[in-house]
Amino acid sequence: MVGVHEAADSAYRVWSSLYRQFGAASLNSDATETFPLYPLHAIKYRQDFYHFVAGFDAYQALIPSLSATRKSRVTILCYPDLEEPDIERLSLKWTVDFIKNGCLDRRSGLEMFRLLLDAHVDKRVLEQVCGTSRMSRSEFARLTGIS
């Protein structure tokens, strides 16, 4: 069984709300073949139950395989003893870094990402990860290097 950790939920909501050039459903129907080396970042909650904290791209592509009754082979990077504040920072940092290195449309995609950060992420966590508690256009330009 799998699920997103409660402390990673705001970063996951930001990640899930972004428009993509293609959807996870358009990937190979056997996503375990598509993402054999992409680790899912998680905390083991109980025997055979994981709370995911980062790696949301692989998580979204693999979730149908992980939920299926057939066995799936995936790589799960387990973090021991993470506290909720660390999970919040880790998940947001992963999301911000992944998007900064990705290919969102410069006009609408990046602006949408900025607005989602402001709307969904706790201001304290945003300050810790991005150096600002409010993601203005000028702060976002500083963060991404794009004006």
Side-chain angles (χ1 to χ4, degrees), residues 70-102:
R70 63 185 170 78
K71 297 233 180 226
S72 299
R73 183 180 231 178
V74 297
T75 302
I76 299 176
L77 179 60
C78 285
Y79 295 87
D81 304 323
L82 279 180
E83 300 295 324
E84 287 201 9
D86 297 325
I87 294 168
E88 286 178 315
R89 285 190 298 275
L90 171 71
S91 63
L92 182 59
K93 179 79 171 127
W94 181 89
T95 300
V96 169
D97 287 349
F98 193 89
I99 297 301
K100 281 171 51 177
N101 294 320

Side-chain angles (χ1 to χ4, degrees), residues 27-90:
L27 295 173
N28 185 331
S29 61
D30 187 1
T32 57
E33 297 295 324
T34 307
F35 287 96
L37 300 176
Y38 285 67
L40 298 168
H41 301 259
I43 295 171
K44 191 168 188 172
Y45 178 64
R46 298 191 299 255
Q47 181 66 26
D48 297 330
F49 192 92
Y50 296 89
H51 282 156
F52 292 98
V53 299
F56 302 132
D57 57 333
Y59 173 75
Q60 284 183 330
L62 292 169
I63 195 67
S65 296
L66 294 173
S67 298
T69 54
R70 63 185 170 78
K71 297 233 180 226
S72 299
R73 183 180 231 178
V74 297
T75 302
I76 299 176
L77 179 60
C78 285
Y79 295 87
D81 304 323
L82 279 180
E83 300 295 324
E84 287 201 9
D86 297 325
I87 294 168
E88 286 178 315
R89 285 190 298 275
L90 171 71

